[in-house]
Amino acid sequence: MQMRSRSETGSDQQPDRDMISDLKRGDGPSTDRFVRENIGWMLASARRIVRDRSLAEDCVQAAFMNVFKNLDGFKGQSSLRTWMHRIVINQALMTLRARNRLQEKSIDDLLPVFDASDCRLEDPWVTLENPESLLVQSQTTQTVLSLINGMPDIYRIVLLLRDIEELSTSEVAEMLELSESNVKVRLHRARSGLKKLLEPFLRGQDL
Amino acid sequence: MTAPQPSLRRRLHGMFFKLPLMITCTEFETFILAYLEDDLPPRQKSVFEFHLKVCRECRDYLAAYRASLELAKGALGQDRDHLDDDVPEDLVKAVLAARNA
């Protein structure tokens, strides 16, 4: 599933316009189809952010209510799906904020180390495993997910929004109320932290 | 945290990276994101790529940085596919009921 957030205009949006007018009319079968077609990816996006199935379901319900309530405000500057994607992510972020989960926490222990000559300290990589081959084992996927979930939220969320949800830097900055340069710094730190966390897998060591 | 004292070889390495048109590993670090997003101007890009050629540590680091991102994307992608097929009917009904309320 690709979740591009760039604007889509022109004839591509005719199905969106048809669906919106069906929804506004309160057409039962169309509403049913609309909910069933979108609820899966919305739940997945929300769950990745809030890391809790039940909270994610609450987010999705609230997001659908927002979608239905604001159909008149949808101007077609993006696809309907892109618009809904932002709504569900904002809803999930609000849930995290309500639980004070977006507080600053240090990631310094996971960042690269340099010596006094500004040279990087990095043990030689005798083996660098292929990520695709590693993911054949379902246990690996679960451990990787749990390591990502253990990262400090503010870094994990930037990583998720930019690299997984594929939002732009400016969209992430707006959603998290950060400057774009701050988002970039956090993204790089998050990826550096990720590298450190996943290093044993990639070196072919047992975790 | 105090940076570790480098060996003679590493000190020479560090001096080499401070020559004109070169960058140190710490400078390289600050350019990684822009390099991967193809945001570096051509001159900076070639300086970055030269460092990559001559510095084993940064080359290994960047390869692992890229591989870890791929591993994370793959794991999250598998999880998303699994969740897509796993929507409780109760939730669908609750959304539809709220819409019709």
Side-chain angles (χ1 to χ4, degrees), chain A residues 1 23-24 26 31-32 35-36 39-41 43-44 47-48 53 57 60-61 64-65 68 71 112-125 128-132 134-135 140-142 144-145 148 159-160 162-164 169 184-185 187-188 191-192 194-195 198 201-202, chain B residues 1 3-7 10-15 17-18 24-30 32-33 36-37 39 55-58 60-61 63-84 86-89 91-96 98-100:
Chain A
M1 179 181 70
L23 292 173
K24 282 183 182 171
T31 307
D32 190 284
V35 170
R36 289 179 192 280
I39 200 165
W41 67 259
L43 186 59
R47 189 175 162 192
R48 272 194 298 276
R53 179 77 191 216
E57 290 183 10
V60 167
Q61 268 195 275
F64 267 110
M65 290 310 102
F68 293 135
L71 280 172
V113 184
F114 303 88
D115 66 21
S117 296
D118 288 337
C119 286
R120 186 186 298 279
L121 295 169
E122 179 79 7
D123 289 338
W125 283 72
L128 177 57
E129 298 283 344
N130 180 337
E132 216 169 295
L134 288 170
L135 288 166
T140 306
T141 304
Q142 287 314 310
V144 169
L145 291 173
I148 295 170
L159 184 80
L160 283 178
R162 278 287 276 102
D163 287 337
I164 310 299
T169 301
K184 287 181 182 176
V185 168
L187 177 63
H188 179 57
R191 287 176 175 177
S192 301
L194 189 68
K195 181 254 173 199
L198 303 186
F201 277 118
L202 294 166
Chain B
M1 190 175 71
Q5 279 308 308
S7 62
R10 292 182 63 85
R11 281 207 299 275
L12 290 172
H13 218 130
M15 285 162 64
F17 290 145
K18 283 172 186 156
T24 63
C25 298
T26 49
E27 289 165 331
F28 176 93
E29 180 72 21
T30 63
I32 288 178
L33 190 66
L36 294 180
E37 299 199 340
D39 273 346
C55 180
R56 190 277 303 162
E57 284 83 356
C58 286
D60 279 1
Y61 178 84
Y65 179 102
R66 285 176 136 148
S68 62
L69 192 54
E70 205 182 316
L71 182 57
K73 284 182 177 181
L76 285 156
Q78 283 187 3
D79 191 47
R80 174 172 60 199
D81 294 343
H82 165 71
L83 282 170
D84 257 346
D86 189 23
V87 177
E89 185 61 20
L91 180 62
V92 175
K93 285 187 172 150
V95 170
L96 290 169
R99 172 59 173 161
N100 296 324

Side-chain angles (χ1 to χ4, degrees), chain A residues 136 139 151 161 193 207:
Chain A
V136 171
Q139 182 58 37
M151 291 174 79
L161 297 185
L207 275 179

